[in-house]
Structures are given as C-alpha cells and as structure tokens.
C-alpha cells in the first residue's frame, strides 16, 4: 500500500467538514478556531502530515487525549456506569482522516472487504444490514424453512480485537512497509 501525499485542498476539505460545536482536545484548539486561521497556517501542518505519511512517525503531542468520563446509566457513584470519551487534538483527527481515506481507498480498489461488511464503509449502513437480514429471513420463510435470529450486543467489541491477528490480516491484504509499521 502506497500513501500518496496530502495537499492543501484535502486538508481544507477535512477541516471544513468538522462541526463547530465539537469539544477540543488537550491543545484546546477547536474546529471554529482552526477554520478561522487555516489559510494563514496551512503550510506547516501539510508538511507535518506528509512527513507522517511518508515516514510512519506520529508526533507524541498528537497521541495525547483528554479523557472525559460520561455517565451511561444507573448509579452515578459506580465507576462501571461511566464510559470514557477521548477528546483528540483536531490535528490528530485530520491525520486520522487522511490515513482512513488512503486505507479505505486501498481496500476498495483491491476489492478486499467482504460484501456484507457494513461497518465503516460508504453506502453500507446499519439500515442496509437490517434490510439484508430481513430479506434473507423472508427468503428462507418463502422456501418453507424456519428462521432463527440471534442478536448480540457486543459491548466494547472494539476493545476485544486481537492486534496480532489484525496486523497479520493487514499484511496479508498488502498493507506493508511504512504504513504497516
């Protein structure tokens, strides 16, 4: 997988897609502030993002998150009833969107993702997943079969991903070199 360099236009488009009311990260720079001065400061961030894309290095200051506990449900005095929200620097959000676009394009161009992979894909919403499921159930019922559906709520599913397996799959799909490292 090759990471093409980013340009001013791509960064402008990403920044202008951010909503104004989002909370800032540890640097206290929010979307509204960055939008107001982006034209004047665009060169340094573009250079830094391109260095990150070509070397694979990410500045330590972009790895800092402001973690805020948000109450889910139940007794407010119990720690288990809160979930952490990580507020990232807006510059890290830009870097993540740049990398996401490149990885997504690579996976799409090489037809790597399973047709029924609905999460994190353009034009593959949860509504489409439910339509596919409903269609499959009706198809089986029309053929005189029974349909049994089991629903699972996988809380913290992302936290259970085995990184060794994920990295192995990425390598097998052709994500190598700087991007893999």
């Amino acid at each position: 997988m090759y990471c093409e360099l980013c340009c001013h236009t791509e960064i402008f488009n990403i920044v202008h897609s951010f909503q104004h009311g989002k909370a800032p990260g540890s640097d206290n720079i929010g979307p509204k502030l960055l939008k107001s001065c982006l034209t004047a400061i665009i060169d340094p961030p573009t250079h830094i993002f391109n260095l990150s894309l070509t070397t694979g290095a990410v500045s330590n200051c972009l790895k800092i998150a402001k973690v805020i506990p948000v109450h889910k449900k139940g007794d407010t005095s119990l720690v288990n009833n809160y979930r952490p929200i990580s507020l990232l620097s807006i510059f890290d959000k830009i870097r993540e969107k740049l990398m996401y676009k490149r990885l997504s394009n690579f996976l799409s161009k090489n037809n790597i993702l399973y047709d029924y992979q609905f999460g994190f894909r353009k034009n593959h919403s949860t509504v489409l997943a439910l339509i596919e499921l409903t269609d499959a159930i009706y198809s089986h019922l029309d053929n005189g079969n029974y349909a049994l559906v089991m629903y699972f709520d996988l809380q913290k599913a992302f936290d259970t991903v085995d990184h060794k397996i994920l990295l192995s799959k990425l390598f097998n799909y052709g994500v190598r070199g700087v991007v893999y490292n």
Side-chain angles (χ1 to χ4, degrees), residues 22-174:
K22 293 291 182 181
S26 60
D27 57 10
N28 286 321
I29 299 172
K32 188 174 182 179
L33 175 60
L34 186 57
K35 286 178 187 180
S36 69
C37 66
L38 188 59
T39 304
I41 66 160
I42 191 68
D43 288 332
T46 303
H47 179 70
I48 292 168
F49 293 137
N50 283 329
L51 280 175
S52 183
L53 290 170
T54 56
T55 65
V58 178
S59 173
N60 284 337
C61 64
L62 294 180
K63 297 177 184 178
I64 298 171
K66 187 187 321 182
V67 180
I68 308 293
V70 176
H71 183 253
K72 292 185 297 186
K73 59 185 175 189
D75 187 352
T76 56
S77 65
L78 297 176
V79 175
N80 290 342
N81 291 335
Y82 289 83
R83 64 184 171 96
I85 299 292
S86 296
L87 301 177
L88 302 172
S89 160
I90 193 163
F91 295 103
D92 190 48
K93 291 177 187 178
I94 296 168
R95 187 193 56 78
E96 283 185 357
K97 286 188 179 287
L98 290 168
M99 193 61 221
Y100 171 80
K101 177 183 173 189
R102 284 148 180 76
L103 182 58
S104 179
N105 287 342
F106 173 80
L107 295 173
S108 295
K109 185 174 109 180
N110 292 292
N111 202 25
I112 292 173
L113 295 178
Y114 178 58
D115 287 339
Y116 297 102
Q117 165 66 44
F118 293 100
F120 308 104
R121 289 181 72 188
K122 192 174 188 177
N123 301 320
H124 286 74
S125 66
T126 53
V127 172
L128 185 58
L130 291 172
I131 291 170
E132 288 289 339
L133 176 63
T134 304
D135 186 50
I137 290 170
Y138 281 132
S139 177
H140 284 285
L141 292 174
D142 289 345
N143 291 330
N145 297 319
Y146 294 100
L148 174 67
V149 179
M150 297 176 75
Y151 293 95
F152 297 95
D153 180 10
L154 302 175
Q155 290 184 355
K156 300 183 183 180
F158 184 77
D159 296 337
T160 65
V161 172
D162 185 319
H163 290 140
K164 287 180 185 174
I165 294 171
L166 177 61
L167 288 171
S168 172
K169 286 183 179 243
L170 287 172
F171 187 85
N172 288 331
Y173 291 146

